[in-house]
Amino acid sequence: LPLEERLQRRIVDGERKGLEADLDEALTERPALEIVNSTLLAGMKVVGELFGSGQMQLPFVLQSAEVMKTAVAHLEPHMEKSDDEGKGTIVLATVKGDVHDIGKNLVDIILSNNGYTVVNLGIKQPVSAILDAAQEHRADVIGMSGLLVKSTVIMKENLQELNQRGLSAEFPVILGGAALTRAYVEQDLHEIYEGEVRYARDAFEGLRLMDALIA
Ligand code: B1M
């Protein structure tokens, strides 16, 4: 198989053996981020489709996710970093009840490489933990990720909690994850949140939003 297809198959099949060698070969042709975006994410998309249609069982999805994480970790040192530092702080978390963290961790990498301080709380974070960390670290922005449909409801509740605690003016919020839509965030959630709430389709939009919110 050609290299790109081979790499995609490694993600889909959860096949780790020879992964690093293939990634190193790919790095001689293309920048690390492009490999993540065009090749590896395409593989995860196939995994999602197979799982969604019942053609792939959960343990195999987990294996694919592990290979994806290994690949991203291998590529990360090769990613471009800006010399900027201290541009601002974001507290980042996957919301309560949700374990998906590959996307969130990509956001962490992209923001960290571009001069932001990222306080990455991990997965299944209750709103109290997110708000405590935001206050403790004097975050400029709160970022929440979630891939389950029920996470979109949790995000709404979290924004209501920010309102209730009188923190909405202090904390603009960026939301991301596959179950969200732009309309849900920019219309429905925009209506209920008393501060700024924005939707990031991918990690790069997350970066653009950080730049815009902090400027
Ligand atoms: Co899960 N899962 N999963 N899963 N899983 C989905 C999300 C699902 C759509 C699959 C499907 O049915 N087709 C489905 C959700 C359906 C729904 O809610 N309606 C689903 C399900 C059902 C489940 C379980 C419930 C299955 C079960 O137990 N029966 C279970 C849930 C457990 C829980 O959370 N409580 C579960 C478990 C798992 C694994 C553990 C096996 C594994 C996760 C491993 C891990 O993350 N460590 C897993 C995986 C891998 C997936 C799919 C296949 C791939 C997700 C992924 O990593 N994509 C997924 C299918 C899909 O998404 N269509 C699926 C790659 C990643 C880079 O994309 O996270 O979207 P994503 O991030 C993007 C953007 O969204 C954005 O930037 C990234 C790219 O640049 N972004 C942000 C994300 N967060 C952001 C935050 C920002 C800005 C941008 O700022 C704050």
Side-chain angles (χ1 to χ4, degrees), residues 156 182-193 197:
K156 183 178 182 182
R182 187 171 296 282
Y184 177 68
V185 177
E186 292 179 356
Q187 291 163 27
D188 302 12
L189 297 185
H190 178 78
E191 255 175 43
I192 65 126
Y193 190 49
V197 58

Side-chain angles (χ1 to χ4, degrees), residues 49-68:
E49 285 160 7
L50 290 173
F51 180 53
S53 64
Q55 291 169 269
M56 191 173 192
Q57 300 304 313
L58 200 62
F60 297 97
V61 180
L62 195 55
Q63 270 182 34
S64 294
E66 290 304 321
V67 174
M68 176 75 189

